[in-house]
Amino acid sequence: MLLSLLAELIIVALYALFIRDQLVSSFIQLNNAELLMDVWMIAGILGITSFTTTMGAYGVMVDDKVKKINRDFEVAPIRNATLLGGYLIAAVVIGLVLSFLTLLAAEGYISYQYGVRLGAGQMTEIYGVLLLVTISNAAQVLLLVSFLKSSNALAACCTILGAMIGFLTGIYLPMGTIPDSVQTLVKCCPISHGVVLLRQILIEPLLSGSFGAANAPQAAAFQEYMGIQYLWDGAWLSAQSSVLILLAAAGSCLALAIVKFSLQKRE
């Protein structure tokens, strides 16, 4: 489980040591540049926490394979959907708990550092998005872990994804600083849409204090540059579209995982 938190530790360390000062200096003209950058990073961390922690939670499933416990399930009158549902629910619960703890820690930091409440008046939306993101991430990780057959493979996967996930979600660098081809790759990753939804909820209320109503074009350019809004084929990608992408990823990955287990049962 601790290994699954590697991505968050890497991102926090890189942000504190290198990224934060560079971002703040790039937008020093804004009144609340430090607050904006910190909330931008917090949204990214919240968006990936359930992905990495659910991977650690699925360690039980991998252990069942290693110890051949899964053979008992295969001969038992248990449907594949029921078995996978048990693993999925356990992973979702763990992912939600750790996501809420991360949110609580972030609220404490923002309140102490800036004297404002993170996501004030929008907690229902934040909780809803965290639930959706956790379910979607848990389903995607379930499909991935279904191909792993050892604890070493799981540990290696956690390490590799922990190093890559910051790039795949546009957290290490603002979207405006990476090539168009890489931007397209990021926009195609379902997990990045969870990050975008959280950024929109947490950051957009702060933009009025930074740009004002008279500077709407500058605010829009800032949102595109920082990956708060995705521009796709010349049009803004709506929040509803991101929600549909997360739901589609959850449904398709869960269906494929059930098929994978059905084929494995016949071997």
Side-chain angles (χ1 to χ4, degrees):
M1 183 62 71
L2 291 177
L3 187 60
S4 64
L5 295 174
L6 178 63
E8 287 80 0
L9 296 176
I10 291 175
I11 290 172
V12 169
L14 288 176
Y15 177 71
L17 295 175
F18 306 106
I19 301 174
R20 186 178 189 273
D21 289 342
Q22 182 179 358
L23 289 176
V24 171
S25 62
S26 299
F27 298 100
I28 195 65
Q29 73 277 11
L30 299 180
N31 295 330
N32 54 353
E34 293 186 352
L35 174 60
L36 278 175
M37 296 306 109
D38 285 349
V39 174
W40 178 81
M41 181 55 65
I42 286 170
I45 293 174
L46 285 172
I48 68 169
T49 295
S50 60
F51 188 93
T52 58
T53 54
T54 52
M55 180 170 289
Y58 285 128
V60 175
M61 186 171 74
V62 176
D63 287 340
D64 288 346
K65 290 182 183 180
V66 173
K67 298 175 182 177
K68 307 298 182 183
I69 297 176
N70 63 315
R71 296 296 183 186
D72 297 333
F73 295 131
E74 290 173 3
V75 298
I78 302 176
R79 297 175 58 188
N80 291 324
T82 302
L83 177 58
L84 289 178
Y87 287 127
L88 180 66
I89 291 173
V92 168
V93 170
I94 292 174
L96 278 176
V97 169
L98 290 174
S99 293
F100 288 147
L101 289 176
T102 303
L103 176 61
L104 184 62
E107 286 182 331
Y109 168 76
I110 293 298
S111 178
Y112 174 80
Q113 190 74 11
Y114 301 102
V116 298
R117 184 182 174 190
L118 182 67
Q122 298 175 298
M123 296 311 297
T124 301
E125 294 179 47
I126 294 173
Y127 292 150
V129 170
L130 283 178
L131 176 61
L132 171 61
V133 169
T134 301
I135 293 173
S136 181
N137 287 343
Q140 295 172 63
V141 176
L142 175 62
L143 177 61
L144 174 63
V145 174
S146 67
F147 291 93
L148 305 180
K149 298 181 179 180
S150 69
S151 299
N152 289 336
L154 178 63
C157 193
C158 286
T159 302
I160 294 172
L161 285 178
M164 291 180 56
I165 199 167
F167 293 106
L168 295 176
T169 53
I171 296 176
Y172 287 148
L173 295 171
M175 288 288 286
T177 63
I178 58 180
D180 291 342
S181 57
V182 181
Q183 289 187 31
T184 301
L185 175 63
V186 171
K187 293 173 185 177
C188 289
C189 292
I191 184 176
S192 74
H193 289 271
V195 173
V196 164
L197 288 174
L198 288 166
R199 284 175 178 164
Q200 290 172 6
I201 295 173
L202 295 174
I203 296 178
E204 286 187 349
L206 302 175
L207 294 180
S208 59
S210 300
F211 295 95
N215 293 318
Q218 290 86 342
F222 175 81
Q223 291 184 75
E224 180 185 0
Y225 181 84
M226 297 300 295
I228 301 170
Q229 294 272 8
Y230 281 168
L231 196 64
W232 189 274
D233 196 24
W236 294 113
L237 193 68
S238 67
Q240 291 81 356
S241 297
S242 292
V243 169
L244 289 176
I245 289 171
L246 289 170
L247 290 173
S252 59
C253 287
L254 183 57
L256 289 172
I258 293 174
V259 172
K260 170 69 170 58
F261 268 71
S262 299
L263 295 175
Q264 178 179 301
K265 211 168 184 179
R266 295 175 185 176
E267 293 177 355

Coordinates of all heavy atoms in Angstrom, one line a residue, residues 23 62 71 94 100 153 174 219:
L23 N 6.4 28.0 -11.5 CA 5.0 28.4 -11.9 C 4.6 29.7 -11.3 O 4.0 30.6 -12.0 CB 4.1 27.3 -11.5 CG 4.1 26.0 -12.2 CD1 3.1 25.0 -11.6 CD2 3.8 26.1 -13.7
V62 N -3.9 -10.2 -6.4 CA -2.7 -10.8 -6.9 C -2.2 -11.9 -6.0 O -1.8 -13.0 -6.4 CB -1.6 -9.7 -7.1 CG1 -0.3 -10.4 -7.6 CG2 -2.1 -8.7 -8.1
R71 N -8.2 -20.5 -7.3 CA -8.7 -21.7 -7.8 C -10.0 -22.2 -7.1 O -10.9 -22.8 -7.6 CB -7.7 -22.8 -7.7 CG -6.4 -22.6 -8.5 CD -6.7 -22.6 -10.0 NE -5.5 -22.4 -10.8 CZ -5.5 -22.3 -12.1 NH1 -6.6 -22.3 -12.8 NH2 -4.4 -22.1 -12.8
I94 N -11.3 1.8 -0.3 CA -9.9 2.2 0.1 C -9.6 3.5 -0.6 O -9.0 4.4 0.0 CB -8.9 1.1 -0.2 CG1 -9.2 -0.1 0.8 CG2 -7.5 1.6 0.0 CD1 -8.3 -1.3 0.5
F100 N -10.4 11.1 0.5 CA -11.0 12.1 1.5 C -9.9 12.5 2.5 O -9.9 13.7 2.9 CB -12.2 11.4 2.2 CG -13.4 11.3 1.3 CD1 -14.3 10.2 1.4 CD2 -13.6 12.2 0.3 CE1 -15.4 10.1 0.6 CE2 -14.7 12.1 -0.6 CZ -15.6 11.0 -0.4
A153 N 5.5 -8.3 -10.0 CA 4.9 -7.6 -11.1 C 4.0 -6.4 -10.7 O 4.1 -5.4 -11.3 CB 4.1 -8.6 -12.0
P174 N 2.6 22.2 -17.0 CA 1.3 22.7 -17.6 C 1.1 22.3 -19.0 O 2.1 22.0 -19.8 CB 1.5 24.2 -17.5 CG 2.6 24.5 -16.5 CD 3.5 23.3 -16.6
A219 N -8.2 35.0 -18.9 CA -8.6 33.9 -18.0 C -8.8 32.6 -18.8 O -8.3 31.5 -18.4 CB -9.9 34.2 -17.3

